[in-house]
Amino acid sequence: MSTGIGGVLCCETLSKRHWSELDQTLVGTLADMVAFLYERIYRIETEERMKHLAYVDQTTGLMNQNGFEQTVASILTNSEDGKFIYLVIDQFVTIQEVLGFDGGDQVLQQIADRLTALFPNPSYVARLAMDHFVLFVPSFLATPIDDLLIQLKKPYIIKGQEVYVSYSYGSATYPIHGSSVKECLQNAQIVLSYGKKLSTQSISSLYNPFMKEASQILFDTEFNLRKGLDMQQFSL
């Protein structure tokens, strides 16, 4: 689809010239070629921008969920085993309330920078939403993940003041705890949610199948209780 007139192609001469039919055709063809070139450049830039929006988190510059899943899925096709980390920043809402939205964004940006430095390629880091981050760390990396993540607790300078954060995370190992990126991320999140029920912060746990079963039982119980209340199936 054309975007309309992008400019005017001018031909100048020092003396008066009679434009023949051939001259007009040649100039018209040249103008069409220039217009096509600029239109193509515009479309390429638009496509790149759309791709950026689809796969990159706009606040931190990290991959978003789409970018993370596609990138890591291509790694897993080569049978690369590794660990998925689902990490959240404890009490981030409180931090955002005190520092404001712009201050909260600065915290997220600095955390993203630190995670990227701690887990460079062949590891991958992404931000899913708000204070939720995910990582894929190949199993052959020797340094324990806890030893690296503890660096997140060092202070951040935001608006001229030191800000300390703590974090919690759940982890799942591919292919033991899942056969795909989505399944491993889901199980890592289940671990995190299970741990959060026991304590509010500084949780780190590895996936165990009973956690998923416990979550399913709790969900079914709560759903059936709500349904029973709505249908007035309880009586004193």
Side-chain angles (χ1 to χ4, degrees), residues 133-148:
F133 295 86
V134 292
L135 302 88
F136 173 75
V137 184
S139 59
F140 60 78
L141 295 182
T143 306
I145 291 176
D146 283 334
D147 291 349
L148 294 172

Side-chain angles (χ1 to χ4, degrees), residues 2-155:
S2 175
T3 57
I5 297 175
V8 178
L9 183 63
C10 298
C11 298
E12 297 183 359
T13 179
L14 297 176
S15 59
K16 185 176 180 181
R17 178 175 177 176
H18 174 71
W19 289 87
S20 66
E21 207 171 295
L22 177 60
D23 292 336
Q24 295 178 42
T25 302
L26 291 174
V27 172
T29 302
L30 179 60
D32 287 341
M33 290 175 61
V34 174
F36 174 80
L37 178 62
Y38 275 96
E39 185 71 19
R40 182 58 182 164
I41 292 173
Y42 174 80
R43 288 190 179 186
I44 291 174
E45 290 176 347
T46 301
E47 290 170 2
E48 289 296 324
R49 177 60 179 166
M50 292 176 64
K51 183 178 180 180
H52 184 81
L53 291 173
Y55 296 105
V56 177
D57 174 61
Q58 300 305 297
T59 300
T60 63
L62 296 175
M63 291 184 289
N64 60 17
Q65 185 170 352
N66 290 332
F68 182 82
E69 288 182 358
Q70 288 197 17
T71 301
V72 178
S74 65
I75 301 292
L76 299 186
T77 57
N78 298 323
S79 301
E80 179 68 71
D81 57 338
K83 185 169 289 187
F84 286 85
I85 306 294
Y86 198 110
L87 182 147
V88 297
I89 305 304
D90 297 326
Q91 299 177 324
F92 178 74
V93 173
T94 302
I95 293 174
Q96 195 174 57
E97 287 174 352
V98 174
L99 299 177
F101 285 108
D102 56 339
D105 285 347
Q106 290 179 44
V107 172
L108 294 174
Q109 289 161 2
Q110 292 193 28
I111 290 173
D113 291 341
R114 198 169 291 184
L115 283 172
T116 303
L118 292 170
F119 297 94
N121 193 285
S123 298
Y124 295 95
V125 183
R127 177 183 176 234
L128 299 194
M130 194 134 177
D131 57 340
H132 292 222
F133 295 86
V134 292
L135 302 88
F136 173 75
V137 184
S139 59
F140 60 78
L141 295 182
T143 306
I145 291 176
D146 283 334
D147 291 349
L148 294 172
L149 286 177
I150 201 170
Q151 301 296 319
L152 293 181
K153 293 185 177 181
K154 292 183 177 180

Side-chain angles (χ1 to χ4, degrees), residues 99-208:
L99 299 177
F101 285 108
D102 56 339
D105 285 347
Q106 290 179 44
V107 172
L108 294 174
Q109 289 161 2
Q110 292 193 28
I111 290 173
D113 291 341
R114 198 169 291 184
L115 283 172
T116 303
L118 292 170
F119 297 94
N121 193 285
S123 298
Y124 295 95
V125 183
R127 177 183 176 234
L128 299 194
M130 194 134 177
D131 57 340
H132 292 222
F133 295 86
V134 292
L135 302 88
F136 173 75
V137 184
S139 59
F140 60 78
L141 295 182
T143 306
I145 291 176
D146 283 334
D147 291 349
L148 294 172
L149 286 177
I150 201 170
Q151 301 296 319
L152 293 181
K153 293 185 177 181
K154 292 183 177 180
Y156 302 85
I157 305 302
I158 308 295
K159 295 184 175 180
Q161 68 181 78
E162 291 186 340
V163 176
Y164 291 83
V165 302
S166 62
Y167 58 85
S168 299
Y169 74 84
S171 62
T173 303
Y174 174 87
I176 300 173
H177 301 143
S179 58
S180 67
V181 177
K182 285 187 177 181
E183 187 176 3
C184 287
L185 285 181
Q186 181 186 17
N187 289 337
Q189 186 181 27
I190 287 173
V191 176
L192 177 63
S193 299
Y194 187 88
K196 283 288 190 179
K197 293 171 185 175
L198 304 177
S199 181
T200 57
Q201 59 185 9
S202 299
I203 302 301
S204 59
S205 306
L206 180 64
Y207 177 76
N208 189 306

